[in-house]
């Protein structure tokens, strides 16, 4: 057999196997963590989707590392440069996900602190508070990635103004 193609093919197969194993492990770990922290139903769905996205993202990155090695062995340098550029911007996205998750956690902490308080529109105010905290952290994460969020900020200002008017009356 031709060794020039055999070893890169084995690397790609190994990358698929390792990436799939990592996805399964991280998905099970994220399910355990969401059960362990007992998040509220409002934030549990978003967190579950976020953690599943992270596990798939890490699995694909691992596969891309193996693919990069295989392509380098074959001599396809133009594709390895693309993969290296993708891996160089990866820390920004990981940090953005951490920012969004910390927003969900802070929202949960605020809900826990107000658990004993009882007042008339408690659920409505907590829903508005969840919206404000989560949107602030999401917009911060998008800004950290490098997106132009001017349109989102203007829309956010309008929504906050409307919420303020509703609360005032």
């Amino acid at each position: 057999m031709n060794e020039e193609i055999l070893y890169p093919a084995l690397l790609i197969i190994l990358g698929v196997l390792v990436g799939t194993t990592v996805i399964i492990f991280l998905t099970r770990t994220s399910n355990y963590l969401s059960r362990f922290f007992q998040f509220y139903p409002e934030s549990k769905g978003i967190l579950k989707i976020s953690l599943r996205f992270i596990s798939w993202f890490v699995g694909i990155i691992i596969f891309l590392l193996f693919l990069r090695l295989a392509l380098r062995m074959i001599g396809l340098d133009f594709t390895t440069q693309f993969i290296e550029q993708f891996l160089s911007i990866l820390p920004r996205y990981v940090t953005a996900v951490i920012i969004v998750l910390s927003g969900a956690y802070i929202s949960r902490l605020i809900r826990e602190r107000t658990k004993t308080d009882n007042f008339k529109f408690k659920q409505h105010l907590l829903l508005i508070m969840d919206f404000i905290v989560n949107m602030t952290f999401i917009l911060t994460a998008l800004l950290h990635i490098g997106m132009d969020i001017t349109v989102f900020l203007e829309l956010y200002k309008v929504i906050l103004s409307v919420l303020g008017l509703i609360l005032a009356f």
Side-chain angles (χ1 to χ4, degrees):
M1 235 196 229
N2 194 355
E3 286 84 17
E4 292 178 10
I5 297 177
L6 179 66
Y7 294 128
L10 288 175
L11 270 176
I12 291 173
I13 292 170
L14 184 65
V16 169
L17 291 174
V18 170
T20 305
T21 305
V22 167
I23 289 171
I24 292 170
F25 174 75
L26 288 178
T27 302
R28 289 185 180 173
T29 305
S30 67
N31 289 338
Y32 171 76
L33 287 175
S34 67
R35 277 185 269 129
F36 178 74
F37 286 117
Q38 298 176 353
F39 291 111
Y40 287 99
E42 296 88 12
S43 61
K44 188 183 285 189
I46 294 171
L47 183 65
K48 189 174 184 179
I49 291 170
S50 300
L51 291 175
R52 188 170 292 155
F53 176 74
I54 292 170
S55 63
W56 274 92
F57 192 70
V58 170
I60 290 171
I61 294 301
I62 290 172
F63 169 72
L64 287 176
L65 288 173
F66 279 93
L67 181 65
R68 184 178 137 254
L69 289 173
L71 292 174
R72 183 168 279 172
M73 288 177 86
I74 294 174
L76 299 174
D77 289 330
F78 64 92
T79 55
T80 59
Q81 292 173 355
F82 172 74
I83 294 172
E84 287 174 0
Q85 288 175 352
F86 180 72
L87 292 175
S88 68
I89 63 170
L90 176 67
R92 284 185 181 172
Y93 289 99
V94 171
T95 307
V97 169
I98 290 171
I99 290 170
V100 170
L101 290 177
S102 62
Y105 181 72
I106 288 173
S107 175
R108 179 178 179 261
L109 280 178
I110 293 172
R111 278 191 174 268
E112 286 291 323
R113 299 291 167 118
T114 60
K115 190 181 245 183
T116 59
D117 298 337
N118 289 323
F119 47 93
K120 190 174 183 180
F121 297 108
K122 177 182 174 183
Q123 293 301 324
H124 300 293
L125 287 177
L126 287 177
L127 180 67
I128 291 170
M129 182 273 316
D130 280 341
F131 173 75
I132 291 172
V133 169
N134 287 323
M135 281 304 296
T136 303
F137 278 87
I138 288 170
L139 290 176
T140 304
L142 290 176
L143 183 65
H144 183 73
I145 289 173
M147 287 183 62
D148 183 23
I149 61 169
T150 308
V151 173
F152 298 120
L153 285 176
E154 294 301 320
L155 180 66
Y156 189 54
K157 287 178 189 177
V158 169
I159 291 171
L160 287 179
S161 300
V162 169
L163 287 174
L165 285 172
I166 290 171
L167 288 175
F169 291 109

